[in-house]
Amino acid sequence: MRGRRALVAFTLPTVLVLTAACGGSNAQQANDPTTSPGSTSTSPGSTSRTSATPDPGSSATPVADPQHAVDPPGPRKGALGLADVLVYNGDSLSPSTVAAIRGLKGVQSVETLSLAQVPIENKVITVAAVDPSTYRNFTPAASAETQAVWDRVAGGELAIRPELKKKLPLDSHGYLRLGSEKDATAVHIGAFAPQVEGAIDAVVNESWIPTLHMQRDNALLVTTGQTAPESLRKPIEKLAGHDASVQMLDAVARYGLDPDVQQTAFVVGTIADAVGTFRYSVLGGGRIAPDPAWVAAHITTQSVPILGNVTCNKLIFPQLTAALNEVQSRGLADKIHPSEYAGCYYPRFIAGTTSLSNHSFGLALDLNVPGNQRGTVGEMDRTVVSIFKKWGFAWGGDWHYTDPMHFEMNALVNPR
């Protein structure tokens, strides 16, 4: 038994199913699929409630969002098998490619899904749009066997990894905006449940694909059973094509990513045109090396008011220049200190993680660093903040864990 399977065999992660946004049933919690009733849990914006053990055979779907509800998944069917390989591409994988990978000797099962990266408060999380009736078989047993999780997903809600519960900005009603843009879509969180380890942070059902502007069927999970996944890397790479990323998920579980493969991020939302498909290699010390072709197409150095020469994403310059011009014209230039500017384009992970920062895309800048450290109110002049917001920037001082030095583009604004 390989390491990932041995670990899952002895540890069953917590699954927390929350109250539906439409005011459905009580919150339900399962430390494993057989947790007894009587424990308590708290959903965002609610008081503590008595939990009930989900009925594994239940077919009742709490419909939180009728526009994004799909058929109830019903009881789980088929064999459980943790995903060993993730194939990911910016474009859709063709049915013939999927069939060819499924037919490889050593492949036990495959599951197509739609995968995208969503920036939230300078963290990038991976969201998958899935068929809840079949994708569940690739998740840890505690998730796969908890019927209420997949009823919630089918009913239009989001299921997300429990580790992210305290790290994301939920509103008082349990909604999470999927994106940093002003108009980012808000989805109600229906469950905190483990997903495919190292590959997926959150899942919605497939009806969300057009709403979230995701690329349909651009990813594939592969289970190899008793076959060593690494032995299938080259055959899968040959079938998937040179643009696809083929990641060994046992390496992801150990290191946070597969260091032997080019990484791919497909960012969705209003600012997607500023990022496109982002491919990069991993360097030491939390740094990354974006594809040189991507850098040439998206990154440039220009002179802007107050700060002088800065290197950023090409699309940020019109509104960054407009914001700084207004700061200057209103007599506030001395509120921004060029000597305390800490950069815009800085290809790296967020410190201590393997999550991309918006600095990696050249869409964020850090100002007046010494007096505006994370977790503080900061010293940033609030009129300067309001000017930046006017010109399409979000301010880190508004976040649930503040970062008052940080401004990031959250809307495309065309100065007139």
Side-chain angles (χ1 to χ4, degrees), residues 149-150 153 157-161 189-193 195 201-204:
V149 171
W150 309 106
V153 173
E157 296 182 272
L158 183 82
I160 196 164
R161 290 194 299 116
I189 294 184
F192 290 99
Q195 302 302 320
D201 295 311
V203 297
V204 291

Side-chain angles (χ1 to χ4, degrees), residues 9-78:
F10 291 103
T11 59
L12 288 175
T14 297
V15 176
L16 175 63
V17 182
L18 303 176
T19 302
C22 57
S25 62
N26 287 346
Q28 302 176 61
Q29 179 173 322
N31 290 328
D32 62 51
T34 59
T35 296
S36 60
S39 60
T40 60
S41 62
T42 304
S43 63
S46 72
T47 57
S48 183
R49 306 168 185 267
T50 301
S51 67
T53 303
D55 175 6
S58 171
S59 61
T61 304
V63 177
D65 185 343
Q67 292 185 335
H68 290 98
V70 298
D71 291 340
R76 191 190 67 76
K77 298 178 181 178

Side-chain angles (χ1 to χ4, degrees), residues 181-257:
E181 302 88 354
K182 291 180 178 179
D183 59 350
T185 299
V187 184
H188 190 262
I189 294 184
F192 290 99
Q195 302 302 320
V196 175
E197 187 176 5
I200 296 171
D201 295 311
V203 297
V204 291
N205 70 52
E206 292 175 313
S207 74
W208 284 98
I209 292 173
T211 304
L212 298 176
H213 307 289
M214 302 174 76
Q215 184 69 40
R216 185 176 293 276
D217 295 341
N218 66 335
L220 186 73
L221 296 173
V222 181
T223 297
T224 65
Q226 296 305 308
T227 302
E230 185 62 41
S231 69
L232 289 168
R233 185 195 290 270
K234 289 191 179 300
I236 292 175
E237 286 177 339
K238 183 176 180 180
L239 292 171
H242 70 277
D243 287 337
S245 172
V246 179
Q247 302 193 39
M248 303 294 108
L249 295 181
D250 56 349
V252 175
R254 289 197 302 271
Y255 307 120
L257 45 79

Side-chain angles (χ1 to χ4, degrees), residues 288-368:
I288 64 173
D291 178 8
W294 184 92
V295 176
H298 292 86
I299 302 298
T300 190
T301 299
Q302 296 184 22
S303 179
V304 298
I306 304 175
L307 297 175
N309 286 338
V310 297
T311 301
C312 296
N313 192 296
K314 292 177 181 179
L315 288 187
I316 204 175
F317 280 103
Q319 60 205 76
L320 175 59
T321 299
L324 292 170
N325 271 331
E326 182 168 343
V327 169
Q328 198 167 50
S329 68
R330 294 176 64 174
L332 299 171
D334 62 339
K335 303 299 183 183
I336 295 177
H337 310 143
S339 64
E340 297 174 357
Y341 166 68
C344 179
Y345 173 60
Y346 183 22
R348 60 175 173 83
F349 294 126
I350 296 172
T353 76
T354 54
S355 296
L356 293 172
S357 160
N358 270 347
H359 285 285
S360 299
F361 311 133
L363 296 175
L365 61 156
D366 292 336
L367 302 175
N368 297 6

Side-chain angles (χ1 to χ4, degrees), residues 90-175:
D91 296 322
S92 300
L93 296 167
S94 69
S96 60
T97 297
V98 173
I101 294 174
R102 181 186 288 112
L104 287 172
K105 184 178 180 180
V107 170
Q108 178 175 296
S109 58
V110 302
E111 176 77 2
T112 56
L113 60 155
S114 303
L115 209 61
Q117 279 66 43
V118 176
I120 301 173
E121 293 194 351
N122 201 33
K123 291 182 290 291
V124 178
I125 70 168
T126 300
V127 177
V130 305
D131 180 340
S133 66
T134 54
Y135 162 81
R136 65 193 290 183
N137 286 343
F138 293 78
T139 66
S143 289
E145 299 288 9
T146 303
Q147 182 67 33
V149 171
W150 309 106
D151 285 345
R152 297 292 191 194
V153 173
E157 296 182 272
L158 183 82
I160 196 164
R161 290 194 299 116
E163 297 88 340
L164 294 175
K165 183 177 181 181
K166 296 182 179 180
K167 299 179 181 179
L168 295 174
L170 309 185
D171 70 15
S172 60
H173 300 289
Y175 282 85

